[in-house]
Amino acid sequence: MERKSADHKKRRKPSGAAVIRPELTIALFRALFEEWAMTGYAAVSLERVAARAGAGKAAIYRRWPSKLEFACEAIQSVEVMRLGSTDQGSLQADIREYLRATRAVLRHPLVRRIIPDLVAERLRSNELSAMLHGIAEARRQFGHRLLNRAIARNELRADLDRELALDLLFAPLYSRMIVRGKTFAKADLDRLGIALEAAIKAC
């Protein structure tokens, strides 16, 4: 009887330490974005976020020590501003794919509300500066790869103004879709791609 009891104790899983469930982490990220889009970052309530995810506030603090670290990891988890780097074969085709993927990101209703809030919050406080810089840098790294491929194909000069070229790639879509709240049809993207190719070659 004593041996059976000892064997049972060996098989028992240790208690006390909470198990970090990936599915709950994903639910917390989703709940954060919904709350953020509704209230703005400064007014995000971690209690409400946890309730949206069907959890307690402790579930958040077991994973992240602060709201900022929670928000940073949430942004990184969904690749909000990252794009693939597949070579489409030409500068024009690469630009068109970049525009298509960027439009897909900016069309998401939560993204359309969170990105402007990120920018506005950076003007009020430095708390989100690193996060916003990371998002912008991820997109610019994709842009650098796009430019490098075009230079290797002799479609662009090696000494072009990269910073201006990268600004040109993102600015038109951001201006129309986020600042003005308008949309881009496929035909609009095609015309924009042609215009951007000419502009970047002039950089």
Side-chain angles (χ1 to χ4, degrees), residues 32-41 52 75 80 105-121 124 128 174 177-179 181:
L32 171 65
F33 290 135
E34 291 171 354
E35 173 81 4
W36 190 344
M38 181 180 297
T39 69
Y41 177 80
R52 280 178 180 270
I75 290 289
V80 168
V105 170
L106 296 183
R107 287 174 72 178
H108 193 289
L110 296 183
V111 171
R112 291 172 75 111
R113 299 176 72 174
I114 288 173
I115 291 177
D117 183 68
L118 266 172
V119 176
E121 196 63 36
R124 303 185 195 106
L128 297 183
Y174 183 88
M177 298 184 71
I178 300 299
V179 177

Short mmCIF file of all heavy atoms in Angstrom, two decimals, residues 32-41 52 75 80 105-121 124 128 174 177-179 181:
data_model
loop_
_atom_site.label_atom_id
_atom_site.label_comp_id
_atom_site.label_asym_id
_atom_site.label_seq_id
_atom_site.Cartn_x
_atom_site.Cartn_y
_atom_site.Cartn_z
N LEU A 32 -6.41 42.59 -26.57
CA LEU A 32 -5.68 43.85 -26.45
C LEU A 32 -5.92 44.74 -27.66
O LEU A 32 -6.19 45.94 -27.53
CB LEU A 32 -4.18 43.59 -26.28
CG LEU A 32 -3.28 44.84 -26.35
CD1 LEU A 32 -3.57 45.78 -25.19
CD2 LEU A 32 -1.81 44.44 -26.38
N PHE A 33 -5.82 44.16 -28.85
CA PHE A 33 -6.01 44.96 -30.07
C PHE A 33 -7.43 45.52 -30.13
O PHE A 33 -7.63 46.66 -30.56
CB PHE A 33 -5.72 44.11 -31.31
CG PHE A 33 -4.27 43.77 -31.48
CD1 PHE A 33 -3.87 42.49 -31.83
CD2 PHE A 33 -3.28 44.73 -31.29
CE1 PHE A 33 -2.53 42.18 -31.99
CE2 PHE A 33 -1.94 44.43 -31.45
CZ PHE A 33 -1.56 43.15 -31.80
N GLU A 34 -8.42 44.73 -29.73
CA GLU A 34 -9.80 45.21 -29.76
C GLU A 34 -9.98 46.37 -28.78
O GLU A 34 -10.61 47.38 -29.11
CB GLU A 34 -10.74 44.06 -29.42
CG GLU A 34 -10.80 42.99 -30.50
CD GLU A 34 -11.55 41.75 -30.07
OE1 GLU A 34 -11.94 41.67 -28.88
OE2 GLU A 34 -11.77 40.85 -30.91
N GLU A 35 -9.44 46.22 -27.58
CA GLU A 35 -9.52 47.29 -26.57
C GLU A 35 -8.76 48.53 -27.03
O GLU A 35 -9.23 49.66 -26.90
CB GLU A 35 -8.96 46.76 -25.25
CG GLU A 35 -8.82 47.79 -24.15
CD GLU A 35 -10.11 48.08 -23.41
OE1 GLU A 35 -11.12 47.41 -23.71
OE2 GLU A 35 -10.11 48.97 -22.54
N TRP A 36 -7.57 48.32 -27.55
CA TRP A 36 -6.72 49.41 -28.01
C TRP A 36 -7.42 50.22 -29.11
O TRP A 36 -7.42 51.45 -29.09
CB TRP A 36 -5.41 48.81 -28.51
CG TRP A 36 -4.30 49.77 -28.82
CD1 TRP A 36 -4.36 51.11 -29.01
CD2 TRP A 36 -2.92 49.42 -28.97
NE1 TRP A 36 -3.12 51.63 -29.27
CE2 TRP A 36 -2.21 50.61 -29.26
CE3 TRP A 36 -2.22 48.23 -28.91
CZ2 TRP A 36 -0.83 50.63 -29.49
CZ3 TRP A 36 -0.84 48.24 -29.13
CH2 TRP A 36 -0.17 49.44 -29.40
N ALA A 37 -7.99 49.51 -30.08
CA ALA A 37 -8.68 50.19 -31.18
C ALA A 37 -9.88 51.00 -30.68
O ALA A 37 -10.21 52.04 -31.23
CB ALA A 37 -9.14 49.17 -32.22
N MET A 38 -10.49 50.54 -29.61
CA MET A 38 -11.67 51.21 -29.07
C MET A 38 -11.32 52.42 -28.20
O MET A 38 -11.98 53.47 -28.28
CB MET A 38 -12.50 50.22 -28.25
CG MET A 38 -13.77 50.79 -27.67
SD MET A 38 -14.71 49.57 -26.71
CE MET A 38 -15.10 48.39 -28.01
N THR A 39 -10.27 52.30 -27.39
CA THR A 39 -10.01 53.33 -26.38
C THR A 39 -8.76 54.16 -26.61
O THR A 39 -8.61 55.24 -26.03
CB THR A 39 -9.87 52.68 -24.99
OG1 THR A 39 -8.65 51.90 -24.95
CG2 THR A 39 -11.05 51.78 -24.68
N GLY A 40 -7.82 53.66 -27.44
CA GLY A 40 -6.50 54.27 -27.52
C GLY A 40 -5.59 53.64 -26.47
O GLY A 40 -6.07 53.16 -25.42
N TYR A 41 -4.30 53.65 -26.73
CA TYR A 41 -3.35 52.95 -25.85
C TYR A 41 -3.40 53.46 -24.42
O TYR A 41 -3.41 52.68 -23.46
CB TYR A 41 -1.93 53.10 -26.40
CG TYR A 41 -0.87 52.47 -25.51
CD1 TYR A 41 -0.65 51.09 -25.55
CD2 TYR A 41 -0.12 53.25 -24.64
CE1 TYR A 41 0.30 50.51 -24.73
CE2 TYR A 41 0.84 52.67 -23.82
CZ TYR A 41 1.05 51.31 -23.87
OH TYR A 41 1.99 50.72 -23.05
N ARG A 52 -12.17 40.32 -21.77
CA ARG A 52 -12.47 40.02 -23.18
C ARG A 52 -11.93 38.65 -23.59
O ARG A 52 -12.53 37.96 -24.41
CB ARG A 52 -11.83 41.07 -24.10
CG ARG A 52 -12.57 42.38 -24.24
CD ARG A 52 -11.77 43.32 -25.14
NE ARG A 52 -12.41 44.61 -25.31
CZ ARG A 52 -13.29 44.89 -26.27
NH1 ARG A 52 -13.61 43.95 -27.14
NH2 ARG A 52 -13.82 46.08 -26.36
N ILE A 75 2.25 43.34 -30.86
CA ILE A 75 2.55 43.88 -32.19
C ILE A 75 3.48 42.95 -32.95
O ILE A 75 3.27 42.63 -34.12
CB ILE A 75 3.18 45.28 -32.07
CG1 ILE A 75 2.16 46.31 -31.58
CG2 ILE A 75 3.78 45.73 -33.41
CD1 ILE A 75 1.09 46.66 -32.57
N VAL A 80 2.42 42.91 -37.83
CA VAL A 80 1.56 43.98 -38.33
C VAL A 80 2.17 44.73 -39.49
O VAL A 80 1.50 45.06 -40.46
CB VAL A 80 1.21 44.96 -37.19
CG1 VAL A 80 0.58 46.23 -37.72
CG2 VAL A 80 0.26 44.27 -36.23
N VAL A 105 -2.66 45.03 -45.23
CA VAL A 105 -2.45 45.35 -43.81
C VAL A 105 -3.30 46.55 -43.40
O VAL A 105 -4.00 46.52 -42.39
CB VAL A 105 -0.95 45.63 -43.54
CG1 VAL A 105 -0.75 46.21 -42.15
CG2 VAL A 105 -0.13 44.36 -43.69
N LEU A 106 -3.25 47.61 -44.20
CA LEU A 106 -3.92 48.86 -43.83
C LEU A 106 -5.44 48.78 -43.94
O LEU A 106 -6.14 49.65 -43.42
CB LEU A 106 -3.39 50.01 -44.68
CG LEU A 106 -1.91 50.34 -44.49
CD1 LEU A 106 -1.53 51.55 -45.34
CD2 LEU A 106 -1.57 50.58 -43.03
N ARG A 107 -5.94 47.76 -44.61
CA ARG A 107 -7.39 47.60 -44.72
C ARG A 107 -8.00 46.99 -43.47
O ARG A 107 -9.21 47.07 -43.26
CB ARG A 107 -7.74 46.73 -45.94
CG ARG A 107 -7.55 47.42 -47.27
CD ARG A 107 -7.75 46.50 -48.44
NE ARG A 107 -9.14 46.16 -48.65
CZ ARG A 107 -9.58 45.40 -49.65
NH1 ARG A 107 -8.72 44.91 -50.52
NH2 ARG A 107 -10.85 45.14 -49.78
N HIS A 108 -7.19 46.37 -42.62
CA HIS A 108 -7.73 45.73 -41.42
C HIS A 108 -8.28 46.81 -40.49
O HIS A 108 -7.59 47.78 -40.18
CB HIS A 108 -6.63 44.94 -40.70
CG HIS A 108 -7.16 44.01 -39.67
ND1 HIS A 108 -7.69 44.46 -38.48
CD2 HIS A 108 -7.27 42.66 -39.65
CE1 HIS A 108 -8.09 43.42 -37.76
NE2 HIS A 108 -7.85 42.32 -38.44
N PRO A 109 -9.53 46.67 -40.05
CA PRO A 109 -10.15 47.74 -39.25
C PRO A 109 -9.41 48.06 -37.95
O PRO A 109 -9.38 49.23 -37.52
CB PRO A 109 -11.56 47.20 -38.97
CG PRO A 109 -11.49 45.73 -39.24
CD PRO A 109 -10.45 45.55 -40.29
N LEU A 110 -8.82 47.06 -37.30
CA LEU A 110 -8.08 47.34 -36.06
C LEU A 110 -6.78 48.07 -36.37
O LEU A 110 -6.41 49.01 -35.65
CB LEU A 110 -7.79 46.04 -35.30
CG LEU A 110 -9.01 45.28 -34.78
CD1 LEU A 110 -8.57 44.04 -33.99
CD2 LEU A 110 -9.89 46.16 -33.92
N VAL A 111 -6.10 47.67 -37.43
CA VAL A 111 -4.85 48.33 -37.81
C VAL A 111 -5.10 49.79 -38.14
O VAL A 111 -4.33 50.67 -37.75
CB VAL A 111 -4.21 47.60 -39.02
CG1 VAL A 111 -3.02 48.40 -39.56
CG2 VAL A 111 -3.76 46.20 -38.61
N ARG A 112 -6.20 50.07 -38.83
CA ARG A 112 -6.51 51.45 -39.25
C ARG A 112 -6.72 52.37 -38.05
O ARG A 112 -6.55 53.59 -38.16
CB ARG A 112 -7.76 51.46 -40.14
CG ARG A 112 -7.54 50.82 -41.50
CD ARG A 112 -8.86 50.69 -42.23
NE ARG A 112 -9.30 51.97 -42.75
CZ ARG A 112 -9.34 52.26 -44.05
NH1 ARG A 112 -8.94 51.37 -44.93
NH2 ARG A 112 -9.76 53.42 -44.45
N ARG A 113 -7.08 51.79 -36.92
CA ARG A 113 -7.30 52.61 -35.73
C ARG A 113 -6.07 52.62 -34.81
O ARG A 113 -5.81 53.61 -34.13
CB ARG A 113 -8.53 52.09 -34.98
CG ARG A 113 -9.80 52.18 -35.82
CD ARG A 113 -10.99 51.58 -35.13
NE ARG A 113 -11.45 52.40 -34.02
CZ ARG A 113 -12.56 52.14 -33.33
NH1 ARG A 113 -13.30 51.10 -33.65
NH2 ARG A 113 -12.92 52.92 -32.34
N ILE A 114 -5.33 51.53 -34.78
CA ILE A 114 -4.20 51.43 -33.86
C ILE A 114 -3.00 52.21 -34.36
O ILE A 114 -2.31 52.89 -33.57
CB ILE A 114 -3.84 49.95 -33.63
CG1 ILE A 114 -4.91 49.29 -32.76
CG2 ILE A 114 -2.47 49.82 -32.96
CD1 ILE A 114 -4.75 47.79 -32.61
N ILE A 115 -2.70 52.17 -35.67
CA ILE A 115 -1.51 52.85 -36.18
C ILE A 115 -1.56 54.35 -35.92
O ILE A 115 -0.59 54.93 -35.42
CB ILE A 115 -1.31 52.55 -37.68
CG1 ILE A 115 -0.91 51.08 -37.85
CG2 ILE A 115 -0.21 53.45 -38.26
CD1 ILE A 115 -0.75 50.66 -39.29
N PRO A 116 -2.65 55.04 -36.25
CA PRO A 116 -2.69 56.48 -35.93
C PRO A 116 -2.53 56.76 -34.44
O PRO A 116 -1.91 57.75 -34.05
CB PRO A 116 -4.07 56.92 -36.44
CG PRO A 116 -4.44 55.90 -37.46
CD PRO A 116 -3.86 54.62 -36.97
N ASP A 117 -3.10 55.88 -33.62
CA ASP A 117 -2.96 56.08 -32.18
C ASP A 117 -1.51 55.91 -31.74
O ASP A 117 -1.03 56.63 -30.86
CB ASP A 117 -3.85 55.09 -31.42
CG ASP A 117 -3.79 55.31 -29.92
OD1 ASP A 117 -4.29 56.37 -29.47
OD2 ASP A 117 -3.25 54.46 -29.20
N LEU A 118 -0.80 54.96 -32.35
CA LEU A 118 0.63 54.79 -32.06
C LEU A 118 1.40 56.07 -32.35
O LEU A 118 2.23 56.51 -31.55
CB LEU A 118 1.21 53.66 -32.92
CG LEU A 118 1.27 52.25 -32.33
CD1 LEU A 118 1.68 51.27 -33.41
CD2 LEU A 118 2.24 52.19 -31.17
N VAL A 119 1.13 56.65 -33.50
CA VAL A 119 1.82 57.88 -33.90
C VAL A 119 1.48 59.01 -32.95
O VAL A 119 2.35 59.75 -32.48
CB VAL A 119 1.46 58.26 -35.35
CG1 VAL A 119 2.11 59.59 -35.72
CG2 VAL A 119 1.91 57.16 -36.31
N ALA A 120 0.19 59.17 -32.64
CA ALA A 120 -0.23 60.24 -31.74
C ALA A 120 0.35 60.05 -30.34
O ALA A 120 0.78 61.02 -29.70
CB ALA A 120 -1.76 60.28 -31.67
N GLU A 121 0.38 58.81 -29.88
CA GLU A 121 0.89 58.54 -28.53
C GLU A 121 2.39 58.85 -28.44
O GLU A 121 2.87 59.30 -27.40
CB GLU A 121 0.64 57.07 -28.17
CG GLU A 121 0.77 56.75 -26.70
CD GLU A 121 -0.24 57.48 -25.84
OE1 GLU A 121 -1.38 57.68 -26.27
OE2 GLU A 121 0.15 57.87 -24.71
N ARG A 124 2.87 62.38 -27.58
CA ARG A 124 2.55 62.73 -26.20
C ARG A 124 3.58 62.20 -25.22
O ARG A 124 3.81 62.77 -24.16
CB ARG A 124 1.18 62.14 -25.81
CG ARG A 124 0.03 62.56 -26.68
CD ARG A 124 -1.27 62.00 -26.12
NE ARG A 124 -2.34 62.08 -27.12
CZ ARG A 124 -2.82 61.04 -27.78
NH1 ARG A 124 -2.34 59.84 -27.54
NH2 ARG A 124 -3.79 61.19 -28.66
N LEU A 128 6.10 54.74 -26.31
CA LEU A 128 5.90 53.85 -27.46
C LEU A 128 6.89 54.10 -28.59
O LEU A 128 6.76 53.50 -29.65
CB LEU A 128 4.46 54.00 -27.98
CG LEU A 128 3.35 53.60 -27.02
CD1 LEU A 128 2.00 53.73 -27.70
CD2 LEU A 128 3.54 52.18 -26.52
N TYR A 174 -0.35 55.21 -46.96
CA TYR A 174 -0.65 55.69 -45.61
C TYR A 174 -1.49 56.97 -45.67
O TYR A 174 -2.48 57.11 -44.94
CB TYR A 174 0.65 55.96 -44.85
CG TYR A 174 0.43 56.39 -43.42
CD1 TYR A 174 0.32 55.42 -42.40
CD2 TYR A 174 0.30 57.73 -43.07
CE1 TYR A 174 0.10 55.81 -41.09
CE2 TYR A 174 0.06 58.11 -41.76
CZ TYR A 174 -0.03 57.15 -40.77
OH TYR A 174 -0.26 57.54 -39.47
N MET A 177 -5.14 55.92 -47.11
CA MET A 177 -5.92 54.95 -46.36
C MET A 177 -6.05 55.29 -44.87
O MET A 177 -7.08 55.05 -44.26
CB MET A 177 -5.33 53.56 -46.55
CG MET A 177 -5.35 53.08 -47.99
SD MET A 177 -4.76 51.38 -48.20
CE MET A 177 -6.10 50.46 -47.46
N ILE A 178 -4.99 55.83 -44.28
CA ILE A 178 -5.03 56.12 -42.85
C ILE A 178 -5.41 57.57 -42.58
O ILE A 178 -6.30 57.86 -41.78
CB ILE A 178 -3.67 55.80 -42.18
CG1 ILE A 178 -3.32 54.32 -42.38
CG2 ILE A 178 -3.69 56.16 -40.71
CD1 ILE A 178 -4.29 53.35 -41.77
N VAL A 179 -4.73 58.51 -43.25
CA VAL A 179 -5.00 59.92 -43.00
C VAL A 179 -6.35 60.33 -43.57
O VAL A 179 -7.15 60.99 -42.89
CB VAL A 179 -3.88 60.80 -43.59
CG1 VAL A 179 -4.20 62.27 -43.38
CG2 VAL A 179 -2.54 60.46 -42.93
N GLY A 181 -8.71 58.10 -44.94
CA GLY A 181 -9.75 57.09 -44.78
C GLY A 181 -10.35 56.61 -46.08
O GLY A 181 -11.49 56.13 -46.12
#
